[in-house]
């Protein structure tokens, strides 16, 4: 392995949005720095099961019928 090509891997402290902290190793910052998270598993809807903002108004078939329902493809 070549020397001096890899980033420095050291201990840092990660602070979650609720104030809890834990120690880990990372290439972020310098030894002893604190990484403050804006979004973490305690507040992000993907992990907390928060209410979804996407509403499906009938699905693809309903949208198709809404747009093209007046067209007829067969003989009358």
């Amino acid at each position: 392995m070549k020397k001096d090509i890899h980033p420095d891997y050291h201990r840092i402290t990660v602070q979650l949005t609720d104030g809890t902290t834990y120690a880990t190793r990372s290439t972020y910052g310098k030894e002893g720095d604190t990484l403050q998270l804006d979004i973490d598993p305690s507040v992000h809807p993907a992990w907390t099961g928060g209410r979804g903002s996407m509403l499906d108004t009938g699905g693809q078939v309903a949208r198709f019928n809404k747009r093209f329902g007046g067209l007829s493809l067969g003989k009358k």
Side-chain angles (χ1 to χ4, degrees):
M1 194 164 36
K2 293 183 181 179
K3 293 185 179 202
D4 300 325
I5 63 167
H6 299 287
D8 182 33
Y9 190 64
H10 48 270
R11 289 185 72 87
I12 65 165
T13 302
V14 177
Q15 182 176 8
L16 303 178
T17 56
D18 64 357
T20 59
T21 61
Y22 66 91
T24 188
R25 295 179 54 88
S26 174
T27 58
Y28 171 81
K30 294 177 267 183
E31 178 81 28
D33 280 353
T34 300
L35 174 62
Q36 295 181 345
L37 299 179
D38 295 330
I39 299 174
D40 61 38
S42 65
V43 297
H44 195 278
W47 288 291
T48 60
R51 63 164 225 216
S53 61
M54 290 183 12
L55 299 174
D56 187 12
T57 57
Q60 291 183 353
V61 174
R63 284 192 303 254
F64 178 84
N65 289 334
K66 184 178 177 183
R67 286 179 72 184
F68 303 108
L71 299 177
S72 71
L73 300 175
K75 295 181 181 179
K76 288 188 175 185

